[in-house]
Amino acid sequence: MSRVWQWNRPVTVREVLEDLQRERSIAYTTVMTVMDNLHQKGWVRREVDGRAYRYTAVSTRAAYAAALMNEAWSKSDNPAAALVAFFGMMSPTQRDALEDAVRMVQRDRPEVIPEAASETAPEASREAAPEVPPEVPSEVPGEVPSEGADREHPAGR
C-alpha cells in the first residue's frame, strides 16, 4: 500500500515492481498476487488498461492510520487510560498536531461542545469518539503470517 499511496495515482503492477526492484529482488507474479489480494480485500480498486490493470487506493494513508488507531483504542478496557498513555508517548510536534486537529474538528463540527460548556450540557448532546471515515474498508487488516518478505502488513507494501 505504501507504494500505491506514494504514487498517488493509478499504478500498474509493472510500475510497482520496478519501484520495489530498486530496493530488492522481487518477482512480477509476487507483486501481481499482492495487488490482487489488496483488490479482493477492498484496499484498492482496479480498472482495465489494455492488457493490464491500473490500481488506485480506496482510502488515504491518513484514513488507514486513523482506522488503526480507532481499532486499537476501541479494544481497550480503559479507553481514557489508553489515550493518556498514547498522548504521553507523543513528541511536542505530535502534540501540536493533535491540538491543531482538535481545533479543526471543533471548527468543522459545531455540534462538538467546547470543554467549558460540556459540564452543563445534556448527556445526549455530548460528542462520542469519531467514526472511521467512510472511505476506509470496514475490516482493517492485521498482521499477515510471514511466508517471506512479500507477505508483510498491507501498509508496508
Side-chain angles (χ1 to χ4, degrees):
M1 283 303 302
S2 289
R3 303 304 166 137
V4 176
W5 284 322
Q6 284 172 357
W7 285 77
N8 199 27
R9 64 168 175 78
V11 295
T12 64
V13 170
R14 176 72 55 200
E15 290 171 321
V16 174
L17 172 73
E18 290 171 358
D19 194 28
L20 287 169
Q21 285 181 331
R22 291 184 196 142
E23 298 170 15
R24 62 184 168 123
S25 177
I26 188 167
Y28 180 91
T29 54
T30 300
V31 178
M32 183 176 62
T33 299
V34 169
M35 297 300 285
D36 185 59
N37 288 342
L38 290 171
H39 175 256
Q40 289 178 22
K41 291 179 179 186
W43 285 90
V44 295
R45 68 177 139 273
R46 66 184 180 193
E47 296 176 5
V48 176
D49 183 13
R51 294 180 8 173
Y53 286 113
R54 287 208 171 265
Y55 294 87
T56 307
V58 170
S59 69
T60 64
R61 185 187 298 255
Y64 174 77
L68 286 177
M69 289 187 287
N70 187 56
E71 179 185 26
W73 185 56
S74 68
K75 289 182 179 176
S76 173
D77 61 346
N78 188 341
L83 285 174
V84 169
F86 179 64
F87 296 156
M89 294 177 192
M90 292 178 151
S91 69
T93 302
Q94 290 170 321
R95 283 194 206 105
D96 289 344
L98 174 64
E99 289 173 4
D100 290 344
V102 168
R103 277 193 291 276
M104 284 188 279
V105 168
Q106 288 175 335
R107 182 192 68 221
D108 294 343
R109 297 177 64 187
E111 72 274 12
V112 175
I113 298 168
E115 189 177 329
S118 66
E119 293 178 9
T120 60
E123 190 67 33
S125 66
R126 290 192 181 148
E127 186 66 20
E131 293 182 25
V132 176
E135 69 272 10
V136 177
S138 60
E139 180 184 310
V140 177
E143 293 295 325
V144 178
S146 180
E147 293 179 20
D150 61 318
R151 295 275 192 185
E152 57 194 34
H153 196 277
R157 291 191 179 112

